[in-house]
Amino acid sequence: MTAVDAGDLRASASRLFRRKQLAGFGLLAGVVLYLAYAAFAFDIAGLLGRARWENAVVLASDSWSYKTHVERQHRSGEIEIAIEGERRGTYPPGQAPDWIGLGDMVTVNLGHGATARLLPGNVTELEIPGYGSARLALEGRNISNDFGGVLPAWVSASDKRVMVTLPGARVTMTPARTEIFRYFFGWDLFWFTLDSPYFGHGTGEILFGPRLDPARGNIAGAAHDWWTNAVWHHKDVAWAICETILMAFLGTFGAALAALPLAFLAARNFTPVWLVRGLFRRVFDFIRGVDSLIWTIVLARAFGPGPLTGALAILVTDTGTFGKVFSEALENIDGKQVEGIRSTGANALQRARFGVLPQIVPVLASQVLYFLESNTRSATIIGAITGGGIGLLLTQAMQTQKDWEEVAYYIVLIVLMVMAMDWLSGKLRAALIGRGSGH
Amino acid sequence: MSDLAHAPAGAIRDSYMAELRRRRLYGGLALLVFAALMAAGFQTANDRNAGGFLDGLHRIGDYPAMVLSEAWEKRAQLPGKLLEYLPDLVETLNIAAVSTLAGAMAGTVLAFLSIPGLAPWPRAVPLFRRLMDLMRAIPEIVIALMLIFVLGGGPVPAVIAIAFHTAGALGKLFSEVAENADAKPVEGLASVGAAWGQRMALGVLPQVAPNFLSYALLRFEINVRASAILGFVGAGGIGYELKNAMSWGPGRFGDAAAIFLLLFGAIVAFDQLSGHVRRRLVEGSRT
């Protein structure tokens, strides 16, 4: 090779390099431009202005903690202690958790060394570590305080309202009432509600301790009270999970059963008539194109809300997908096996059963199982639209915008459910492929 | 083997038949259990549904017929309606495109972080794998609904929700592809002192780009459908308009029909387009 040749080669190589470089940077520039356009089209700036970040704080703190309210009505002097301020979480009169001392003077331990005392005469005394004591009192129709002229950063005070925010607790006094919130880690009443005799007892005590309810055994009683918990509805949640899995199961396998015979009609080697073949292929394309959202809407009108509608929506959509996938698998089978069966004088059905099915079943079953997992997720979403399963519970809990601990609970359950289905379908697929290769 | 050679043909046949019978029995039993599960599941679903299967079956065509007949009466308005809802379709497509782009980028990084031979921190590989499992397991609707609470309705919650799921799903597929990439370019780049990012971008990415692109296109098809569904729960785009038109009921079925048509057309068009491009990509990488 001469020097001139090498020079030419280098020139052409660097031209190629430059072109590739240009193409690479052009692609990058295109992506950046598109994202800039999208940021403009989605109105990101306006969105950031409209976002309610306090909602995010509420969501984050409420999902892993709960608060207990201690409330005194100033007119009647009545004191109410309730978890999350809910009726179902209210302690009966005369009962209180151990961090509250009842009597003429109600002592509330606020945690972190702070204490609040509700004295007669609508006076509230606070002991705050690192600060000292403070006194709030209702005088006439105003609230007086002795914080002095310069308020600490954690106090906001006016004549009509004094609010003291402490780590893990909050005290608010208005002319009508005094409210104390104390925050705790965890989900309130998750195991037992207050009316259950097992509330406040540990696992060891329930398993091995003396009988807490004379009418029934501890384990059976505790299981029953947990199962019928009126705040968390464990029974309904379990049913909802079952419904969602049922939708995915019925939809996926129903679709596989419906698509299998139809796939023969859309495969080139089994249906030589192109009119029939083309017709079935277009039907599959149409079903897939209409999409599960529209099928869900149409079917919900006919069958009403519930798991059957969701199952049928998945079934119809996936019949289209499976029909396409199965017919492609059928076109790729080995024709020799079918010839062999034919030579024994078998009819079309027997040829399909002994010549075709053994070849495609492992492939198809693996596909179907793969869809089972993804359909569990779809069933959650479809359930939110048709009104069935855990998807419905999730949207309902979100729409009330207050029970974020329930939302967190459902999310954890959904993730566990999907992961379990993923694991199960993976195991079954592995077993199937192992058996298939063992032949 | 020698035992078999001396055994009488009848014994071999008997043992084969016994084997066959056992196989058929197990197969039949499995089929029976499956059929029973299907029947029981169907019965349960039917009982818990608001309307029964048999009651609803003859009503299946009512709603489409209602929509179609009203749309037919107003067929003169249809082109106008199609134009009216075109921007919403574009928004849905934008949601799908942006979330696929973002998800593919995040998925690429996650994939490289979770391949033992390529990861910069080999000890963290299981961590990133579990992270991807978790990201895949969370349905889009969960994140979308939470973000709608914070950010308000609109396309951005849908983008983030779909991108999150896409990153997990594509990350897994990408890592399976990149695992089989040739290590020599990476070693060569390492020998001239390239940093980890450079080794990945210049050594691995060019090898796997066609497969990555093919998976990303497939994901885009899926995400167009997902963004339409998320619109239905309040995250903007054509799904949101469809919900509005639907809940209005008769009188706006013309709008509903136009939206159906747009959505159907878009899904079919993008399926065909991406299928064509993917076939070319795969064939190109083979030669």
Side-chain angles (χ1 to χ4, degrees), chain B residues 46-72:
Chain B
N46 201 15
D47 289 346
R48 293 180 74 86
N49 216 57
F53 180 69
L54 292 176
D55 294 337
L57 208 52
H58 64 270
R59 276 184 286 151
I60 227 170
D62 292 3
Y63 183 67
M66 233 161 38
V67 172
L68 285 179
S69 68
E70 197 182 313
W72 183 248

Side-chain angles (χ1 to χ4, degrees), chain A residues 66-117:
Chain A
Y66 71 96
K67 58 186 191 292
T68 303
H69 299 210
V70 182
E71 193 175 309
R72 169 156 74 176
Q73 303 294 335
H74 288 162
R75 187 163 299 188
S76 61
E78 222 174 273
I79 287 185
E80 193 181 77
I81 303 166
I83 293 172
E84 286 287 357
E86 282 191 54
R87 194 175 47 77
R88 287 170 308 197
T90 307
Y91 283 84
Q95 273 188 37
D98 52 9
W99 48 275
I100 297 176
L102 294 175
D104 285 344
M105 178 184 79
V106 177
T107 315
V108 182
N109 179 354
L110 298 177
H112 301 279
T115 320
R117 282 189 293 274

Side-chain angles (χ1 to χ4, degrees), chain A residues 266-325:
Chain A
R268 197 182 309 119
N269 43 352
F270 291 95
T271 308
V273 189
W274 69 266
L275 192 69
V276 178
R277 194 169 71 222
L279 182 76
F280 275 94
R281 286 193 178 174
R282 290 296 89 74
V283 167
F284 290 150
D285 285 345
F286 175 76
I287 292 175
R288 277 185 319 125
V290 170
D291 192 36
S292 61
L293 172 64
I294 299 173
W295 286 121
T296 308
I297 293 167
V298 170
L299 291 168
R301 292 284 162 144
F303 298 106
L308 182 73
T309 310
L312 288 175
I314 295 175
L315 193 154
V316 173
T317 316
D318 279 2
T319 301
T321 314
F322 285 155
K324 182 174 148 68
V325 173

Side-chain angles (χ1 to χ4, degrees), chain A residues 34 52 243 288 297 303 305-306, chain B residues 48-50 94 150 225 246:
Chain A
Y34 175 70
R52 287 159 297 173
E243 267 186 12
R288 277 185 319 125
I297 293 167
F303 298 106
Chain B
R48 293 180 74 86
N49 216 57
N94 273 335
V150 177
R225 295 157 186 261
M246 296 255 323

Side-chain angles (χ1 to χ4, degrees), chain B:
Chain B
M1 278 295 133
S2 60
D3 284 353
L4 271 181
H6 295 294
I12 298 175
R13 197 173 62 221
D14 284 352
S15 97
Y16 174 74
M17 290 313 278
E19 170 95 353
L20 198 67
R21 264 201 300 280
R22 202 163 56 239
R23 223 166 229 278
R24 281 199 181 148
L25 183 69
Y26 288 160
L29 273 180
L31 216 61
L32 209 67
V33 168
F34 176 71
L37 267 177
M38 287 290 285
F42 178 80
Q43 197 56 49
T44 317
N46 201 15
D47 289 346
R48 293 180 74 86
N49 216 57
F53 180 69
L54 292 176
D55 294 337
L57 208 52
H58 64 270
R59 276 184 286 151
I60 227 170
D62 292 3
Y63 183 67
M66 233 161 38
V67 172
L68 285 179
S69 68
E70 197 182 313
W72 183 248
E73 277 168 27
K74 298 178 180 170
R75 61 189 176 277
Q77 299 172 9
L78 194 63
K81 295 274 185 212
L82 286 178
L83 265 182
E84 185 188 334
Y85 289 109
L86 194 63
D88 296 303
L89 178 69
V90 171
E91 182 165 84
T92 292
L93 295 177
N94 273 335
I95 292 173
V98 173
S99 56
T100 310
L101 263 177
M105 289 184 211
T108 307
V109 175
L110 278 172
F112 288 153
L113 287 173
S114 61
I115 299 169
L118 299 178
W121 310 291
R123 281 165 172 274
V125 163
L127 183 78
F128 286 113
R129 294 211 159 172
R130 289 296 88 72
L131 182 67
M132 288 194 297
D133 287 347
L134 193 73
M135 288 169 94
R136 270 184 305 131
I138 300 178
E140 288 111 345
I141 195 171
V142 169
I143 297 176
L145 285 175
M146 285 207 299
L147 287 175
I148 287 172
F149 176 60
V150 177
L151 298 175
V156 176
V159 167
I160 299 175
I162 299 177
F164 192 78
H165 180 82
T166 302
L170 282 182
K172 182 176 189 246
L173 293 171
F174 284 0
S175 73
E176 281 165 10
V177 173
E179 235 166 4
N180 298 321
D182 190 358
K184 288 198 192 88
V186 182
E187 285 162 16
L189 282 164
S191 71
V192 297
W196 180 75
Q198 291 170 322
R199 291 204 298 275
M200 294 303 119
L202 303 172
V204 185
L205 213 49
Q207 295 186 54
V208 294
N211 291 54
F212 276 27
L213 202 60
S214 161
Y215 278 134
L217 280 173
L218 188 65
R219 197 70 222 177
F220 176 67
E221 281 175 45
I222 299 171
N223 284 351
V224 171
R225 295 157 186 261
S227 79
I229 289 195
L230 285 187
F232 208 80
V233 298
I238 202 158
Y240 184 66
E241 294 301 325
L242 179 60
K243 190 194 170 87
N244 286 346
M246 296 255 323
S247 49
W248 189 275
R252 284 195 60 187
F253 280 158
D255 299 51
I259 294 172
F260 280 145
L261 214 57
L262 277 174
L263 192 57
F264 177 72
I267 288 176
V268 170
F270 277 99
D271 273 15
Q272 295 294 332
L273 189 71
S274 108
H276 180 69
V277 175
R278 274 186 292 129
R279 264 194 302 280
R280 278 194 51 189
L281 278 172
V282 172
E283 280 161 14
S285 73
R286 267 186 200 153
T287 51

